[in-house]
Amino acid sequence: MSIYEQHSFKKKSRILKYAIIPILYLISGIMLIAGNVLPFAAFLFYIGIILASYLILRGYITRINIYCFLAPYFLMLAISIWNNVFPYYLGIVLAVLLGDLLARTLYRILINCSEKSHKFFVIPAFFFSFDFIFQNIPAISFIHMIPVLSPLSTHSFIIKAATVFGGRVVLLLVTLLLSAAAKVLCDFKSIRTSGIVLTICALLILLPNLMDLSADTEILEEVSVASIQGSYTSPSGNTDYEDYINQKFQYYMRLAEFTDADITVFPEIELGIYDTENKVDQTFRKNIIDASKQLGGLALFTVTEGNSVTKSKDERFISALLLNDGKIVGISRKRNLVPFSESRNYSKGKDYDVYETQFGKIGVSICYDINAKTVEQLKNNGAQIILAPFNDSGFDFIYHNIHRYFPVMKAAECAVPIVVSNEDGISQIIDHNGRIIAELGYGKKGSIAQNIEIKNVKSFYLLFGRYLEWILFLGIVFMAIMNRLRIFHQRKKVYHT
């Protein structure tokens, strides 16, 4: 090779290393979240994991490369979620800083990995730990992150595995399977080890789909449920508060006019006032009672609950009234409030009551409750169906596609049907396997109705899957500590030498 050819080869290598590789990492990062933007593109998630794993295994590990890989996720988090929660663009700044911190962390882990052959395990372990920490560690679990698996919320085959293992372990299995596939592409000689990993992961994902663990459970009854979805805009001009609420109430009743269901759920939108002193809410209470009688069966309305005498914030809640043919049979108060807005004006509910009705045992989870452990507690208290009024108005369509993941995963993990009624979309009716059996898309108005089976299905995730998550997480932490100690001792030995 001539000197000119050598120079040309080195120049091409530099272009590949410093220009093309970061772009490939950026593309793989975009692929991971594509399903949150365009649900039909969710399959790109799998390709994105394979591409990123392949680049890592080929040794293209720099801080800028890893940052390019994680940047699309944190930019989406900043713009679609945190910017709507934190004031003064603080959400964007925090998301970018957090992305930089985690990119540095992942980079250090990769370059300090003792065995090159073990690098294919780093991405699955990192994503699993990231999801686990932000959904299970009490001190930070209130922070609203995008679950890494959220683009696959409509992939029932994958979600079904969560009925046994839970979402975090399914994420670990899926990414580990894809990383093992990338390892085969990178080094065909490793096909034996990679093949074993591929087979084990594939079998663990496949088994819950082959064995319906609820098949032998007796169907107690079949009930029809309806979810109402709208987007009310106040007419122009000066409208007093009572007229505004009444007009909004009538708007939603028109949307529910042709529904014929045992249970009807309205979104988390203020449809009245519930005064515990019963002094200023007579009109609103009458509207709700009359509407319940008109609809028949059970109906769930969201109201502002308060005390007109004390007017104390301690007695002010976002509450859902469950009515049975005109009679109030339950009041559920929102337990997890949106920071900086709802938390400033309302108090948190503390109860996880389940209401026994002619259509089964009903639990209520209000919007942001679904992100926390509300469904788990309601299931443990005997709930056979969860009614979930949502309000995602004010967020963009990307957030709606992200938020649809939570009820899907909760239904699968807790083995309980969930009926989501969402202001402005997306409303869903989900069975106890996490399968979406009816859906009304973003921005659409109207109702959806479906029959669902009421069963006393055991949640294998709640029985042992959640403990498996902790065992795996602690195992990953232990391996990280041991690897760090090994590096420390090596450096200490070199220093003394």
Side-chain angles (χ1 to χ4, degrees):
M1 184 181 291
S2 66
I3 295 175
Y4 173 78
E5 289 174 333
Q6 289 177 2
H7 178 73
S8 178
F9 178 77
K10 288 180 180 179
K11 186 177 180 181
K12 289 179 181 178
S13 298
R14 283 196 297 269
I15 292 173
L16 177 67
K17 185 176 181 180
Y18 295 109
I20 297 177
I21 296 300
I23 292 172
L24 290 175
Y25 269 105
L26 185 63
I27 290 170
S28 67
I30 292 171
M31 286 179 174
L32 292 191
I33 60 172
N36 288 324
V37 182
L38 301 169
F40 65 83
F43 70 93
L44 293 174
F45 177 93
Y46 308 107
I47 301 174
I49 293 290
I50 292 175
L51 176 57
S53 299
Y54 178 82
L55 293 171
I56 287 170
L57 291 168
R58 293 290 296 177
Y60 300 118
I61 304 169
T62 66
R63 190 172 294 168
I64 189 66
N65 288 345
I66 302 303
Y67 190 81
C68 287
F69 175 52
L70 297 181
Y73 173 93
F74 285 97
L75 287 175
M76 177 179 284
L77 177 69
I79 296 168
S80 295
I81 300 180
W82 284 12
N83 192 42
N84 294 288
V85 175
F86 293 94
Y88 308 115
Y89 302 102
L90 182 61
I92 294 177
V93 175
L94 290 175
V96 171
L97 291 175
L98 180 61
D100 179 64
L101 173 64
L102 291 175
R104 290 170 183 269
T105 302
L106 179 56
Y107 168 73
R108 299 301 302 180
I109 293 170
L110 285 168
I111 63 172
N112 288 326
C113 191
S114 58
E115 294 288 339
K116 183 180 178 181
S117 59
H118 294 165
K119 279 186 169 65
F120 81 98
F121 183 70
V122 173
I123 288 292
F126 177 80
F127 280 153
F128 168 81
S129 301
F130 174 78
D131 248 27
F132 180 88
I133 288 170
F134 280 100
Q135 293 190 43
N136 288 279
I137 305 301
I140 58 174
S141 60
F142 70 93
I143 301 174
H144 193 350
M145 303 297 291
I146 303 173
V148 181
L149 207 60
S150 61
L152 306 184
S153 58
T154 59
H155 291 201
S156 299
F157 184 83
I158 298 297
I159 298 299
K160 180 67 183 290
T163 59
V164 176
F165 302 111
R168 274 65 57 196
V169 176
V170 170
L171 171 64
L172 178 67
L173 292 173
V174 170
T175 50
L176 188 56
L177 185 150
L178 297 172
S179 293
K183 185 171 173 58
V184 173
L185 294 174
C186 185
D187 180 14
F188 194 76
K189 294 178 181 178
S190 68
I191 192 169
R192 183 175 179 181
T193 303
S194 302
I196 293 171
V197 174
L198 278 165
T199 303
I200 292 173
C201 292
L203 285 174
L204 290 174
I205 294 171
L206 183 64
L207 282 175
N209 286 274
L210 295 178
M211 300 184 303
D212 188 350
L213 300 173
S214 65
D216 297 330
T217 307
E218 179 186 359
I219 300 174
L220 302 178
E221 59 183 306
E222 189 172 89
V223 301
S224 57
V225 297
S227 175
I228 312 302
Q229 178 174 300
S231 181
Y232 180 73
T233 303
S234 177
S236 58
N238 294 324
T239 305
D240 66 31
Y241 179 74
E242 186 170 325
D243 288 340
Y244 167 70
I245 296 295
N246 286 334
Q247 289 170 14
K248 182 166 52 174
F249 188 86
Q250 294 307 317
Y251 166 81
Y252 276 98
M253 285 305 297
R254 286 194 295 273
L255 291 177
E257 185 177 0
F258 299 107
T259 60
D260 181 19
D262 299 321
I263 303 172
T264 306
V265 184
F266 290 86
E268 186 205 11
I269 188 77
E270 188 181 32
L271 295 177
I273 294 173
Y274 182 77
D275 178 15
T276 52
E277 296 290 337
N278 195 19
K279 291 181 179 292
V280 299
D281 67 340
Q282 289 87 351
T283 301
F284 304 113
R285 194 177 293 213
K286 182 178 184 302
N287 285 343
I288 290 172
I289 289 172
D290 289 346
S292 171
K293 291 178 179 178
Q294 178 185 331
L295 292 167
L298 298 176
L300 189 76
F301 303 90
T302 304
V303 298
T304 295
E305 179 186 352
N307 187 314
S308 61
V309 176
T310 66
K311 298 181 180 179
S312 169
K313 179 190 170 184
D314 294 338
E315 297 179 81
R316 193 184 311 133
F317 305 95
I318 298 172
S319 300
L321 302 182
L322 182 64
L323 284 85
N324 188 354
D325 197 22
K327 295 179 181 179
I328 298 175
V329 296
I331 302 175
S332 294
R333 295 161 176 163
K334 190 172 184 178
R335 302 100 177 162
N336 300 274
L337 303 174
V338 177
F340 305 110
S341 54
E342 293 177 348
S343 60
R344 188 169 56 242
N345 300 310
Y346 300 96
S347 295
K348 292 182 179 182
K350 297 178 181 178
D351 298 326
Y352 296 85
D353 295 331
V354 171
Y355 310 106
E356 188 142 10
T357 72
Q358 71 270 37
F359 303 117
K361 297 175 182 178
I362 308 293
V364 177
S365 169
I366 305 174
C367 199
Y368 210 56
D369 283 342
I370 206 85
N371 297 40
K373 299 296 183 182
T374 301
V375 176
E376 287 89 336
Q377 296 201 48
L378 292 171
K379 173 68 176 183
N380 287 333
N381 288 345
Q384 296 168 325
I385 180 173
I386 304 295
L387 309 183
F390 273 41
N391 189 333
D392 287 344
S393 61
F395 290 90
D396 59 25
F397 75 99
I398 296 174
Y399 178 80
H400 288 70
N401 286 325
I402 294 167
H403 209 193
R404 66 146 46 134
Y405 167 85
F406 288 94
V408 168
M409 188 54 64
K410 293 293 184 180
E413 290 179 341
C414 299
V416 62
I418 298 180
V419 183
V420 177
S421 175
N422 197 344
E423 169 78 357
D424 205 31
I426 300 167
S427 296
Q428 301 168 296
I429 299 173
I430 308 159
D431 70 11
H432 62 272
N433 287 318
R435 184 172 60 95
I436 301 169
I437 55 178
E439 183 174 272
L440 193 57
Y442 169 71
K444 294 184 179 179
K445 301 173 180 63
S447 64
I448 49 175
Q450 190 63 250
N451 289 344
I452 57 174
E453 297 173 346
I454 301 298
K455 295 181 174 183
N456 286 322
V457 182
K458 288 183 179 180
S459 166
F460 285 85
Y461 167 73
L462 294 180
L463 287 173
F464 77 88
R466 55 180 171 174
Y467 303 111
L468 176 62
E469 285 182 342
W470 275 99
I471 292 169
L472 289 171
F473 175 71
L474 293 174
I476 290 170
V477 170
F478 175 76
M479 286 191 294
I481 292 172
M482 293 302 294
N483 190 55
R484 192 65 190 168
L485 289 173
R486 180 190 59 79
I487 294 169
F488 173 77
H489 288 305
Q490 282 181 349
R491 289 177 177 174
K492 189 176 179 181
K493 186 176 179 180
V494 170
Y495 175 78
H496 286 299
T497 304

